[in-house]
Amino acid sequence: MYVGETVNFTCAVHVSSGWTYKWYRNNVGISHTGSTLSIRLGRDNAGKYTCKAIKADGIETHSSEKKTQAVDDVPEPSVKLVTPWADVFVNEVVTLSCEVASTGWSFSWLKNGQTLSADGDLLMTGANLNIIALRSHTGAYSCKANHKDRPVHSEPSQPLDVKVYENIPKPTLSQIDPSYDPMYVGETVHFACSVNVSSGWKFKLFKDEREITSSDSSISVQLRPSDGGKYSCKGTRGGQTTTDHSDKISLTVLEIPIPQLKALTPWLDVFPYETVKMGCGATSTPSDWIYEWYKEEQAVSRTSNSVSSDGATLTINSAASSDRGQYKCKATLKSRQVITSYSAGLTVNVYDQKPRPILIQDPDYSILFPQEPLSLQCHINISNGWEFVWYKNNEKLTFNQNKYEVTPDTAHSGSYTCEATRGKDPKFTSDLSQAKNVEIRKDAPEPVLAQVPAVDKVYVGEQLMLKCNLDVSRDWEYHWYKDEQIIFSNVSSITVNATHPHSEVYKCEAKRRKTRFETKSQPKVIAISAIPTPSVKGVTPWLDVFPGETVSLSCGMKTEASDWLYKWSKDGQPIKYEESVKSDREGTSLTIISSVSHAGEYSCMAEHRERAVFSDYSSGIRLQVYDTKPRVTLVQDPEVKVFHTQDSVFFSCGVNVSSGWEYSWYRNDQMLASGPNFTISPLFTSHSGEYKCRAKRGREVAVFHTDHSWSVTLNVNERPSASILLLTGWSEVFSTDSLTLECEAKDTDDGDWRFKW
């Protein structure tokens, strides 16, 4: 039972009556005699209660069974915050719970000591009070416990203060570690976002208005190149309250720079005892960095080389071959773990010996002519920073550039050399260059126009080559003119095709490719003639011949015949030479030992002895070859069998085919005479015999003989006497009579006489 409650005890004896009662608490009598005992409980009357019944006659019962009555204070409720925070913002929900140490209670709520009643913003559910925060809900909240079955009420609990803020605060974003700007890729930046009002906040980090992460408070970002930007944060709690963005923090994120290595002396390829100086810088503020030097990936010793305090410069004094190699540097950002990669390398080369410049002449002609420019360049292909010294015929010139322009004047002919120098204290001097001998001539040369073949007469169809040559100096290009009009460029020779008879005048011009200096040849007249046609003639007087007879033909030009060789054709086909058909070496004559197959039309053409010039074929000459030898006809006049002395006889010998015959006469196979006719007058008996003739033509080995004619036998007798005989029988006659006389040769048997009266 709780302090303040009333408890009733009843003591009863169920046997007899007239009993009085005596009450005890913790065995101590209580001044009460009734059968019912009512006690308002307090801390002082808790204990074990018993009673006895007593009669008037002194009879008393034993003590009743003890009843223990515990008395507790009414429990004091306490207000607990169910939701995370008691300082809230409008529309946030605060849940309070009224808690007691026992069960069976209901609760009422007070604000600032005033009992609350539920409404739309105050919800009382069991032991909980749900407050949908309004500014007016700020106050001290307490609760009372009311026993559900008994009229026991607790005192109000200790109050819990609820504060409702009118405005949502603005968070603060801080870059707490490190606070550098710029930052470099790979570094970690720590942001802290805080709200100085209330608690229970969670935070979201934004970059350029885009959420990137969330955290309770501190946010760490390992930086990438894309992490540069404007950072802000928001605070959230309970899923209902979100602050505005904090003020922005600009963060620059840079790639770790690659240090820039540069030569501080003008050259890195040096000669013994020269000085090389190099500098290393990481950014536009190189003083923020400390530098280290490496040669071929090995750290450079500071003892053997001069290195500045921050390492930004490296000086190699009195260079030696051991200093050759590729140098690089690295940088470390002061007070931070930011280390660059290697810089690009610079290679230091230390040469073993002096260089020798090369003297370049442009144009590189050993002989030049007036108005041709000349440039000499002293070139040294090792290192740089050179100045130059020029010499002409070993005399120093007052000029120190690498390019020397020579005025095109004969006075500037000579031998030129140069040398290169650089540096100071001491000055380094190269070896002397090779010499360039330059000759500048006063008079311009004239190109030679040559004709190939070098002939005076050019025939139609020929190709000539004209060559332009200028053998003084070199590097000429040639241009061609025909009848003063340019026809070809950039060729040293041209081909002229002789297409028709006429004359052309050619010139060539030689022009230097580099200086464009030009000079022209003397004109060359090309006379083009028609190709002559040879003519065929019969050397043999006759062109109708007989088998075995030799015939000769000739082929020749009317002029310049010795310049040509000749070829023969028969019936339009080239002649095949054989034993019976031969030609001399030049082809000027053709000799044929005739057969029937040699009959046909012969013509010839000419081919120049030295050039590919071919004439047309000549007009043809026809050769006729008979099947057999001709027959010789011998004619005797008169045609009598017997002749008499003092007679005359006439013989003629003839061939009725072809011409050019000569005749020979034979008696009894002995040659008598020559000629087509043979007359014997007067005849003598000694002229009797067998006569025949034969024809021939040609000379020497080409003589052709016919067969002999048939034979004629000539019989010559002594001349007989004549007598007249009267055949009619009478010697006297009358007018109108007829008579017959006969003349008779006497003393001869030859009756073949003719008679004259």
Side-chain angles (χ1 to χ4, degrees), residues 36-50:
T36 299
L37 175 65
S38 292
I39 301 172
R40 185 176 177 85
L41 294 175
R43 279 291 182 183
D44 57 346
N45 51 17
K48 292 182 179 180
Y49 286 84
T50 60

Side-chain angles (χ1 to χ4, degrees), residues 1 10 38 79 92 146 162 193 229 259 289 303 310 317 340 422 456 498 525 621 647 682 690 696 703 742:
M1 299 289 287
T10 301
S38 292
V79 177
E92 281 192 307
N146 304 301
V162 173
C193 190
W289 301 82
T303 59
D310 61 355
N317 296 304
T340 70
R422 72 174 182 183
D456 294 330
V525 178
I621 188 169
D647 281 346
E690 188 176 80
K696 72 172 183 177
V703 173
E742 181 182 77

Side-chain angles (χ1 to χ4, degrees), residues 166-428:
E166 184 174 2
N167 297 314
I168 297 175
K170 183 176 182 179
T172 299
L173 180 65
S174 302
Q175 183 180 336
I176 57 175
D177 182 30
S179 58
Y180 302 119
D181 188 33
M183 300 286 287
Y184 290 93
V185 171
E187 286 191 289
T188 299
V189 64
H190 302 283
F191 291 106
C193 190
S194 62
V195 176
N196 60 3
V197 177
S198 192
S199 60
W201 296 96
K202 291 187 179 296
F203 299 97
K204 294 181 179 180
L205 185 65
F206 293 81
K207 183 176 82 73
D208 300 327
E209 307 293 340
R210 185 172 59 85
E211 181 182 346
I212 57 173
T213 187
S214 61
S215 173
D216 289 340
S217 176
S218 178
I219 301 170
S220 298
V221 179
Q222 187 170 14
L223 296 174
R224 300 167 300 176
S226 60
D227 288 332
K230 293 185 177 181
Y231 285 80
S232 62
C233 69
K234 281 184 177 183
T236 64
R237 67 176 188 177
Q240 291 179 325
T241 302
T242 301
T243 69
D244 289 336
H245 280 280
S246 68
D247 291 336
K248 292 181 173 60
I249 293 178
S250 292
L251 181 65
T252 302
V253 179
L254 302 178
E255 292 277 8
I256 297 176
I258 297 174
Q260 299 297 310
L261 182 58
K262 62 181 179 180
L264 300 180
T265 48
W267 44 82
L268 290 174
D269 44 347
V270 295
F271 301 89
Y273 308 111
E274 284 194 293
T275 296
V276 180
K277 189 174 183 180
M278 292 171 281
C280 185
T283 63
S284 59
T285 56
S287 60
D288 294 341
W289 301 82
I290 297 173
Y291 302 91
E292 294 291 335
W293 290 86
Y294 299 84
K295 187 185 87 170
E296 306 296 349
E297 312 296 335
Q298 298 297 317
V300 171
S301 169
R302 288 176 175 259
T303 59
S304 60
N305 296 278
S306 178
V307 180
S308 62
S309 59
D310 61 355
T313 60
L314 171 67
T315 303
I316 302 173
N317 296 304
S318 188
S321 59
S322 60
D323 294 313
R324 292 179 186 141
Q326 186 182 69
Y327 288 79
K328 296 179 181 180
C329 65
K330 275 185 177 181
T332 301
L333 194 58
K334 292 178 181 178
S335 305
R336 290 158 68 177
Q337 295 300 311
V338 177
I339 301 174
T340 70
S341 59
Y342 282 111
S343 68
L346 282 179
T347 299
V348 174
N349 187 23
V350 183
Y351 298 103
D352 295 327
Q353 59 187 6
K354 282 186 176 184
R356 185 185 187 191
I358 299 171
L359 185 54
I360 299 172
Q361 177 184 337
D362 184 28
D364 54 346
Y365 308 143
S366 60
I367 299 174
L368 292 102
F369 303 98
Q371 300 177 353
E372 282 195 289
L374 173 61
S375 172
L376 297 174
Q377 183 175 359
C378 192
H379 176 70
I380 187 164
N381 59 0
I382 299 177
S383 196
N384 53 28
W386 300 100
E387 293 183 351
F388 300 89
V389 181
W390 290 89
Y391 299 90
K392 175 189 166 192
N393 299 330
N394 297 322
E395 295 291 332
K396 187 175 180 180
L397 302 175
T398 58
F399 190 77
N400 65 356
Q401 301 300 311
N402 73 318
K403 194 171 185 180
Y404 182 57
E405 303 290 345
V406 180
T407 304
D409 188 284
T410 55
H412 293 113
S413 295
S415 177
Y416 289 84
T417 53
C418 70
E419 63 187 10
T421 67
R422 72 174 182 183
K424 295 179 181 179
D425 302 325
K427 179 180 287 188
F428 177 80

Side-chain angles (χ1 to χ4, degrees), residues 513-695:
R513 288 185 174 87
K514 293 181 179 178
T515 65
R516 310 314 292 169
F517 172 80
E518 59 187 48
T519 175
K520 287 187 178 179
S521 71
Q522 293 296 318
K524 177 75 175 178
V525 178
I526 305 296
I528 301 173
S529 303
I531 301 174
T533 302
S535 59
V536 176
K537 295 180 180 178
V539 178
T540 305
W542 44 87
L543 292 174
D544 49 344
V545 295
F546 301 91
E549 188 174 10
T550 299
V551 63
S552 293
L553 306 177
S554 69
C555 182
M557 295 288 192
K558 291 182 180 179
T559 60
E560 301 174 346
S562 61
D563 292 342
W564 302 88
L565 300 174
Y566 302 93
K567 293 185 178 179
W568 292 85
S569 70
K570 173 178 154 295
D571 297 331
Q573 299 297 320
I575 285 180
K576 294 180 179 179
Y577 296 103
E578 52 192 21
E579 187 64 29
S580 60
V581 180
K582 295 181 179 180
S583 174
D584 62 0
R585 180 177 297 178
E586 287 78 16
T588 56
S589 67
L590 183 68
T591 301
I592 304 168
I593 301 174
S594 303
S595 66
V596 174
S597 63
H598 294 138
E601 184 174 80
Y602 287 80
S603 60
C604 67
M605 57 85 69
E607 175 183 338
H608 201 280
R609 284 179 181 271
E610 298 174 351
R611 291 138 60 189
V613 179
F614 305 92
S615 74
D616 292 335
Y617 275 94
S618 66
S619 298
I621 188 169
R622 182 161 289 280
L623 178 66
Q624 182 180 356
V625 181
Y626 298 102
D627 294 340
T628 59
K629 284 186 176 182
R631 175 178 293 180
V632 180
T633 301
L634 190 154
V635 177
Q636 175 188 323
D637 186 23
E639 294 183 5
V640 295
K641 293 182 179 179
V642 178
F643 287 89
H644 297 85
T645 56
Q646 299 304 313
D647 281 346
S648 293
V649 64
F650 173 81
F651 294 104
S652 66
C653 191
V655 178
N656 61 357
V657 179
S658 192
S659 61
W661 298 102
E662 295 179 0
Y663 299 92
S664 298
W665 293 90
Y666 300 87
R667 182 180 67 201
N668 300 328
D669 296 324
Q670 296 296 315
M671 184 175 175
L672 294 176
S674 60
N677 301 312
F678 180 54
T679 300
I680 304 174
S681 180
L683 285 171
F684 296 97
T685 56
S686 60
H687 291 134
S688 296
E690 188 176 80
Y691 287 82
K692 55 186 175 181
C693 68
R694 186 171 69 167

Side-chain angles (χ1 to χ4, degrees), residues 640 642 644 647 718-720 745 748-755:
V640 295
V642 178
H644 297 85
D647 281 346
E718 289 293 337
R719 177 175 292 276
T748 180
D749 296 329
D750 182 10
D752 189 19
W753 289 90
R754 288 178 295 171
F755 299 93

Side-chain angles (χ1 to χ4, degrees), residues 714-732:
L714 184 65
N715 293 313
V716 180
N717 296 330
E718 289 293 337
R719 177 175 292 276
S721 58
S723 63
I724 297 175
L725 297 178
L726 178 63
L727 298 179
T728 55
W730 52 81
S731 58
E732 292 180 354

